Amino acid sequence: MTALDLTDRKLVFATRSLNFGHNPPDIRASLVEAGCSLEEADEVIERAAAGINQRREAERKATQKAGLCLLAAGLAMLVLAYYAGSGHVPSGRYGRLLMGYIFGGGASLVGLWMLIK
């Protein structure tokens, strides 16, 4: 992944403009007004769009990995709560057992949501 060159003001401007939802023709016009040639403006806009896509892809992969870990942790909590409630472990703390089911189920659902999203 290429890092954003913060010393290139044109690239930073184009990246921010694309992130804020401005259209490439408007960005191109602003860059030409600032002294860029049309070819240079097009290249800067393309580099900015490619950088944005790379960062979004990396963020999506990180979100999926975190969702998978959260799903595994939630399922582990549910399994342990089920084991504790099945009679193998002396009961007497039903509140903790209920919290294990609630947090385990909640973590599993959030993990699934992060994987799907």
Side-chain angles (χ1 to χ4, degrees):
M1 183 167 109
T2 58
L4 178 63
D5 183 17
L6 294 178
T7 58
D8 188 359
R9 292 177 184 262
K10 297 170 190 171
L11 182 61
V12 172
F13 170 76
T15 303
R16 287 183 181 169
S17 298
L18 285 172
N19 280 332
F20 286 134
H22 297 287
N23 294 324
D26 297 336
I27 299 169
R28 185 179 302 111
S30 297
L31 287 172
V32 169
E33 236 177 69
C36 285
S37 66
L38 282 173
E39 294 81 21
E40 186 182 8
D42 289 337
E43 178 193 345
V44 167
I45 292 171
E46 287 173 11
R47 284 179 34 215
I52 289 171
N53 288 338
Q54 279 182 336
R55 285 186 291 282
R56 286 183 181 161
E57 183 67 25
E59 182 181 322
R60 186 184 63 79
K61 287 180 183 178
T63 302
Q64 286 179 343
K65 186 175 181 180
L68 190 60
C69 292
L70 193 58
L71 177 64
L75 289 176
M77 280 191 273
L78 281 174
V79 166
L80 288 174
Y82 179 75
Y83 176 72
S86 66
H88 295 291
V89 176
S91 59
R93 301 277 182 176
Y94 291 110
R96 290 183 185 174
L97 185 62
L98 181 64
M99 294 304 285
Y101 281 121
I102 290 172
F103 285 122
S108 297
L109 289 176
V110 170
L112 279 174
W113 177 74
M114 288 174 73
L115 282 174
I116 292 171
K117 180 184 138 190

